[in-house]
Every structure is written in C-alpha cells, then in structure tokens.
Amino acid sequence: MTATKHELLRSHLQNLIERELAPDERLPTERDLAQEFGVSRMTVRQALERLENERRVYRVRGAGTFVARPAITKSIELTSFSDDMRRRGLTPGSHLRTAESIPAGANVGFALGLSPADEVVHLERVRTADGVPMCIEHTYLSAALVPKLLDRPFDNSLYDLLRDHYHIRLVRAEQSIRATVLDEATATLLQVPAFSPALLVERTAYDQRDRPVERAMSTYRGDRYAFEIEVVRPTTDGTG
C-alpha cells in the first residue's frame, strides 16, 4: 500500500525529531514544510496533529510547534513521586509552596475519617524531574498521626519521612484519575500554556494498620505524564 503524503511527511518529521532536534526545539513552520515538500498546509497540519496525538510534539499558539520531552509513564502502584523519578534515571525535586495546619473540612475529613474540625497538615508542593515541573501536589495528613511534622524538612520523599520518623508505612490506596485542563495560575507553575491538558489524581492512602493517613490531590502535566494500567479479564465459565 502506498503511503499517503501526510504519512511520508510524518515519517520525515519523526526522523528529524529523533536525530537532529532537541526537546523544546522548534520545528520548521507549516508554510516552510509545505513549500519544502510540495504539499498543502492541510497535509502538513495532518502530519503535525498525528505527532501531537503521539506526544512527540506540542504546539504553542502564536509560537509554533516544538519537540516534546519524553512522557513519563507511571504504573498503578503505590510509590512516591521521588521513587518514580529515580526509577527513570531522573533527579526528583520539590518546591514547597505551603506548609500549614488547618481544619480538615468536610471532604478531607471524610476521606481521612476525621471530624471537619480536626486538624490536618496541608502541604502544597511543585514536584520536578531534572528541574522541570511535573505536577502540583496538595497533601493532607491527620495532624494527630504526625506531631511536629511542620518542624521537619521536606527535601526528600514524604513517604520516607513517614516511615523513618513516624513508623507509618503506606501499603495501599484508593485512587481516581480524570482528565482536566490547567487554569492560568497552575499552568504558570507547571511552565505550560494555560488550558493545557492535565491529569487530576485523587488518592487516599492507608497504612499497615489500615488507617487512612494521606489524602492527596495531584495535577500532572498531560504532555509529560501517562498512567499505565494492567487490565485483567475476569475468569468466566467459557460462555462469554
């Protein structure tokens, strides 16, 4: 079967991305590509849209099309952000924006089995990999389980801190993932355009005594993060 013009152009651009261009480097303009390959702007657009769907490029309105950084794939297992990054050969980092003790409120209190008036520790952090912002995390912990947590540094993994200083080992979690878009403030923190796609992950984590310890809401960049889920077909009687 003969390849279409946009497939041939896509193949050329893929080779260009893999062999010559660095992440965040701009691709030739649609006009230049159309002239170079003798195709229509629509054909160029089709090729670029396919590469964007494959997360090989990203587009910034008014600026052009750029080479995307490789996406980070996270399996559905209870690991810290720091562990995830180290497994991929990246250096994890964290910028602490908020560290405070506040009333749990209705939603967090319900998730952690607390009264809305009970105190929780709230941490807001920008998590980075090799210095690049990856997600914004809001973490809530029952203050009664982590006394004087706010007096401790948060330079490394929170899970390690819980294990080493409070003998709390998180062993399972209930988690939901849904698509969203970034408002202007969050997009600025993640260094992407406003209204970029993102993943909102909400998690309640339980310790070795099956106590709800952590309620976390994390917003991940959609262009750099993907979740890998293993799906198993249930055993049947052979009639389906």
Side-chain angles (χ1 to χ4, degrees):
M1 181 181 294
T2 303
T4 63
K5 289 182 178 180
H6 96 265
E7 288 172 339
L8 291 172
L9 178 57
R10 175 198 162 278
S11 179
H12 167 79
L13 291 173
Q14 183 173 325
N15 287 332
L16 187 67
I17 290 168
E18 293 175 349
R19 298 177 183 178
E20 298 183 27
L21 299 180
D24 300 318
E25 191 169 346
R26 188 162 68 91
L27 273 68
T29 66
E30 289 184 6
R31 176 184 296 178
D32 289 344
L33 289 169
Q35 291 178 348
E36 180 180 355
F37 290 92
V39 297
S40 68
R41 293 279 291 273
M42 180 59 71
T43 297
V44 174
R45 200 165 291 124
Q46 287 178 325
L48 292 174
E49 285 177 353
R50 182 169 174 185
L51 289 169
E52 186 176 26
N53 289 336
E54 295 171 351
R55 298 187 177 186
R56 294 182 178 273
V57 301
Y58 65 94
R59 289 191 267 188
V60 178
R61 183 176 297 178
T65 304
F66 300 82
V67 178
R69 293 177 178 270
I72 295 170
T73 302
K74 174 177 171 57
S75 60
I76 303 300
E77 57 183 344
L78 186 55
T79 57
S80 70
F81 178 90
S82 297
D83 287 340
D84 285 341
M85 296 305 104
R86 292 190 189 102
R87 288 181 182 181
R88 289 155 179 80
L90 303 173
T91 301
S94 182
H95 171 57
L96 181 65
R97 286 176 46 81
T98 303
E100 60 184 354
S101 181
I102 59 173
N107 293 333
V108 172
F110 177 79
L112 295 179
L114 303 173
S115 164
D118 288 342
E119 292 292 306
V120 294
V121 174
H122 168 224
L123 307 174
E124 179 190 1
R125 296 181 291 172
V126 179
R127 309 307 304 273
T128 63
D130 285 349
V132 178
M134 289 291 165
C135 77
I136 308 293
E137 282 186 351
H138 287 270
T139 303
Y140 301 87
L141 303 155
S142 171
L145 295 179
V146 288
K148 298 185 179 180
L149 177 66
L150 294 177
D151 296 334
R152 300 185 183 277
F154 299 101
D155 299 332
N156 298 311
S157 168
L158 177 62
Y159 283 14
D160 289 349
L161 183 62
L162 292 176
R163 182 195 62 214
D164 296 341
H165 291 279
Y166 298 100
H167 308 292
I168 293 173
R169 185 168 54 88
L170 299 180
V171 297
R172 72 177 185 90
E174 297 169 356
Q175 181 166 280
S176 68
I177 305 169
R178 67 176 184 268
T180 187
V181 295
L182 299 174
D183 59 32
E184 292 187 8
T186 306
T188 298
L189 291 173
L190 292 178
Q191 299 178 8
V192 296
F195 311 113
S196 295
L199 294 172
L200 177 61
V201 180
E202 296 181 313
R203 179 179 68 240
T204 302
Y206 297 78
D207 70 358
Q208 68 273 30
R209 296 167 57 183
D210 211 35
R211 298 176 299 181
V213 172
E214 176 201 42
R215 178 64 175 171
M217 283 154 276
S218 305
T219 304
Y220 290 87
R221 287 175 52 163
D223 64 329
R224 292 298 312 275
Y225 232 84
F227 281 81
E228 187 176 83
I229 302 172
E230 180 180 359
V231 180
V232 179
R233 183 174 175 81
T235 303
T236 67
D237 58 7
T239 60

